[in-house]
Amino acid sequence: MTRVDEFEELRPLLFSIAYRILGSVSDAEDAVQETWLRWDGTSAPPASTKAFLTAVVTRIAIDVLRSARVRREQYVGPWFPEPLLSDPYQDPERSAELADSVSMAALLLLERLSPLERAVFVLREVFGFGFPEIAAAVDRSEAACRQLAVRARRHMDSGQPRFDADRAERRELAERFFDAIRDGDLDQLRELLAADVQLVSDSGGKAPQWGSGIFGARNVSRILTAFITPFTSIGGVIEPHQVNGDPGAILRDSTGQILNTWTLDILDGKVQTIRTVLNPDKLSHLGDPADAWTVLRQVHQARQDATPTDQGAVDD
């Protein structure tokens, strides 16, 4: 097996580690590319290629995260991870850990950890690395890594997101949710929303945003139907899709460009949180981002052009 073949075989694992540490598809891809450059520049082969590459990508991700923390403190509005449509790394023995750890809720919880705690937690709890390997990856003693793991686990346990175990039921509820939105069925939509549901957006100041969020089933259902009805009338499309392992959707304008992504947190048979990513910088890896301001103007115009009867239905 050539050096290139060895690297390509491990690329999915390296990306998945970097993404969970960084919460950014573009930064994770850059970290993997930098790992290749360092691997390609190494003359003597390591005892374990996997251990070597894991250590390199982890250290790069830690360094990137430290600088990213400063930028995130200055971020406009809520910050969400870049949406990931599919995780390239699969391991049947750790499928549950891999699926849960990539959700928006879990990645946001990881933001509470220091870069070192986050790296140790990801390597240990998500990917099942032993402490000798983790110690080598983060350049700390095994004892120090065990302490970091304990602290990280304590932080995570204090706010660990809950998930409905039956993913089929979550998908079925999500289908009903999107059907109700398309049909403008307020009553059905309200039945599917938790009483204290939250609709929160990440625009980064580069796209329209509903303030700090919309809260409560009545308000959220009214906002969604008031937007989606005219949005679909101008050719907008709601494309259901798994996003970060959760039920969600990609919204496209009439030209097929990406307006935003949605992810749904579903628990106890209700939609608890709807997270939308509108920041075009976080959507470019999925395709060409739409001009959200233009789409919003078109939606407003469509509402104004509606007949009085139709307009009343939209605003009800």
Side-chain angles (χ1 to χ4, degrees):
M1 182 180 290
T2 67
R3 179 169 287 204
V4 172
D5 291 336
E6 285 184 285
F7 186 84
E8 289 303 320
E9 186 175 87
L10 290 167
R11 180 188 287 273
L13 171 63
L14 302 178
F15 172 86
S16 294
I17 291 172
Y19 177 75
R20 285 165 173 81
I21 294 175
L22 295 167
S24 165
V25 172
S26 54
D27 285 346
E29 289 174 342
D30 289 345
V32 172
Q33 181 60 26
E34 178 62 25
T35 300
W36 160 252
L37 294 175
R38 297 189 189 184
W39 167 238
D40 190 42
T42 302
S43 55
S48 167
T49 301
K50 178 181 178 181
F52 175 83
L53 293 177
T54 297
V56 172
V57 80
T58 299
R59 292 177 188 178
I60 291 171
I62 290 172
D63 289 341
V64 172
L65 183 59
R66 283 172 174 153
S67 61
R69 286 292 177 88
V70 177
R71 297 195 303 273
R72 289 175 191 176
E73 289 175 358
Q74 303 169 344
Y75 196 79
V76 178
W79 180 94
F80 296 158
E82 289 183 10
L84 182 70
L85 299 189
S86 62
D87 188 354
Y89 179 71
Q90 301 296 323
D91 181 352
E93 294 184 0
R94 305 195 67 79
S95 59
E97 293 88 346
L98 290 169
D100 288 349
S101 66
V102 83
S103 72
M104 283 279 184
L107 290 171
L108 287 171
L109 194 56
L110 282 170
E111 287 290 305
R112 300 182 182 185
L113 308 183
S114 72
L116 272 177
E117 288 172 343
R118 185 164 180 165
V120 169
F121 181 89
V122 166
L123 292 176
R124 179 64 180 171
E125 300 293 336
V126 180
F127 294 95
F129 282 86
F131 282 108
E133 298 168 291
I134 297 172
V138 302
D139 196 23
R140 295 292 190 277
S141 68
E142 287 187 42
C145 289
R146 290 181 186 277
Q147 291 178 344
L148 287 165
V150 169
R151 288 205 300 269
R153 169 48 66 190
R154 187 182 302 122
H155 285 305
M156 295 296 287
D157 285 346
S158 67
Q160 189 67 36
R162 296 167 57 210
F163 301 94
D164 278 344
D166 194 324
R167 292 183 175 275
E169 290 183 5
R170 292 165 62 190
R171 286 194 299 270
E172 189 273 335
L173 189 145
E175 290 175 3
R176 290 162 54 203
F177 170 83
F178 287 117
D179 286 344
I181 289 177
R182 290 192 193 93
D183 296 341
D185 190 337
L186 269 174
D187 291 336
Q188 174 66 10
L189 188 55
R190 287 172 184 164
E191 287 184 10
L192 298 173
L193 299 176
D196 57 350
V197 63
Q198 303 178 40
L199 170 60
V200 193
S201 301
D202 173 346
S203 71
K206 299 182 179 183
Q209 182 170 317
W210 288 305
S212 60
I214 308 296
F215 306 94
R218 178 178 174 81
N219 293 331
V220 170
S221 60
R222 287 167 62 89
I223 284 290
L224 290 180
T225 53
F227 173 78
I228 292 299
T229 299
F231 174 69
T232 55
S233 76
I234 61 172
V237 175
I238 306 173
E239 184 180 292
H241 206 295
Q242 289 286 110
V243 181
N244 285 81
D246 286 328
I250 298 173
L251 271 65
R252 298 181 184 273
D253 69 6
S254 59
T255 69
Q257 292 184 318
I258 297 175
L259 176 65
N260 62 8
T261 61
W262 292 11
T263 55
L264 309 181
D265 283 356
I266 297 173
L267 183 65
D268 300 329
K270 300 285 186 178
V271 175
Q272 307 287 332
T273 306
I274 305 167
R275 295 187 179 88
T276 73
V277 176
L278 294 107
N279 185 340
D281 296 342
K282 294 187 175 185
L283 300 173
S284 58
H285 65 284
L286 303 177
D288 293 334
D291 184 335
W293 296 104
T294 296
V295 173
L296 184 61
R297 286 194 294 270
Q298 293 172 341
V299 166
H300 283 326
Q301 186 62 51
R303 294 190 65 190
Q304 292 174 1
D305 293 343
T307 63
T309 300
D310 291 338
Q311 186 67 48
V314 170
D315 288 335
D316 183 23

